[in-house]
């Protein structure tokens, strides 16, 4: 007599006919698709949405500080105080105060200074303003290399006229050659200007340094000449720094200006 175990355990596929039917169902091959019907396409994964690339945010320059504003103002003021047109007048004042020319009567000194200022400040300034009015020059600061041709020629002619004036009036040869050396330096700058820009500010102040060196050598210098020479060197370095700070010149253009201005004046003043 067969035992009835249904009340004790759940039915198992191993029991009887149900096991056989399960085995048959596993051995059967899947039915082939009938003609005219297409198999269902395999499910494709949904494309991932491309994330748009972020454009790099523009780099903002740091806001100018109070120190940079002060440096801008200082550099601008120094550039105008030491503008090249004033260098002949500064040189004349130093020659009258620190050399044997200190014994020249005050009225004669005043007359010389007026003539030098008229030839090297008033005449060039008026002609440059006229060139600006005509459209030949756009900036009276002459920061564009292409606009410097006529101002260079005007300055060279005015310095040459000043050298002739002081020579006719019996000034020492080193003073005449100071103005001649400035004209020679201007001629070198005019030629180089076709390819490269030289700092005229640096050339002008370096010419003043060369004049003081020349007075120390053969100008019966005053006792304070060495102090003035040190001051002129400091001023020359400050002017060069200011021109670079204002982005008017590179360091090499300032150094070239020093070399041209100093050598032009110093070697010309060696002529007796």
């Amino acid at each position: 007599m067969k035992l009835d175990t249904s009340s004790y355990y759940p039915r198992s596929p191993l029991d009887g006919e149900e096991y056989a039917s399960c085995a048959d169902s596993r051995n059967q091959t899947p039915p082939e698709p009938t003609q005219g019907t297409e198999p269902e396409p395999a499910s494709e994964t949904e494309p991932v949405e491309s994330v748009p690339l972020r454009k790099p945010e523009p780099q903002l320059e740091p806001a100018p500080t109070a120190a940079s504003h002060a440096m801008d103002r200082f550099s601008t003021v120094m550039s105008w105080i030491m503008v090249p047109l004033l260098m002949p007048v500064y040189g004349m004042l130093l020659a009258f105060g620190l050399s044997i020319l200190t014994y020249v009567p005050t009225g004669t000194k005043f007359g010389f200074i007026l003539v030098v200022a008229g030839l090297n400040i008033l005449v060039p300034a008026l002609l440059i303003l006229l060139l600006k009015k005509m459209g030949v020059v756009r900036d009276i600061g002459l920061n564009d290399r292409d606009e410097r041709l006529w101002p260079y020629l005007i300055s060279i002619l005015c310095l040459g006229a000043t050298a002739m004036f002081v020579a006719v009036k019996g000034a020492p040869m080193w003073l005449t050659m100071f103005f001649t050396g400035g004209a020679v330096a201007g001629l070198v700058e005019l030629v180089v200007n076709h390819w490269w820009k030289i700092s005229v500010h640096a050339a002008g102040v370096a010419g003043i340094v060369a004049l003081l060196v020349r007075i120390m050598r053969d100008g019966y210098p005053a006792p304070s000449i060495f102090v003035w020479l040190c001051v002129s060197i400091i001023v020359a370095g400050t002017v060069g720094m200011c021109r670079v700070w204002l982005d008017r010149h590179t360091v090499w253009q300032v150094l070239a200006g020093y070399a041209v201005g100093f050598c032009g004046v110093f070697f010309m003043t060696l002529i007796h």
Side-chain angles (χ1 to χ4, degrees), residues 9 11 14 18 39 42 52 67 75 133 141-142 181-182 191 211 238 249 271:
Y9 305 102
R11 291 186 61 84
L14 298 177
E18 289 186 12
S75 299
K133 190 174 182 64
L142 303 177
V191 174
L211 173 65
T238 304
H249 294 284
I271 299 175

Side-chain angles (χ1 to χ4, degrees), residues 171-187:
M173 184 59 69
W174 54 263
L175 183 60
T176 301
M177 290 297 108
F178 165 68
F179 297 106
T180 306
V184 171
L187 184 61

Side-chain angles (χ1 to χ4, degrees), residues 194-219:
H194 287 283
W195 302 279
W196 200 48
K197 187 170 71 169
I198 294 179
S199 174
V200 185
H201 280 76
V205 72
I208 296 295
V209 175
L211 173 65
L212 294 177
V213 172
R214 186 65 182 83
I215 292 175
M216 288 183 66
R217 183 174 183 267
D218 192 23

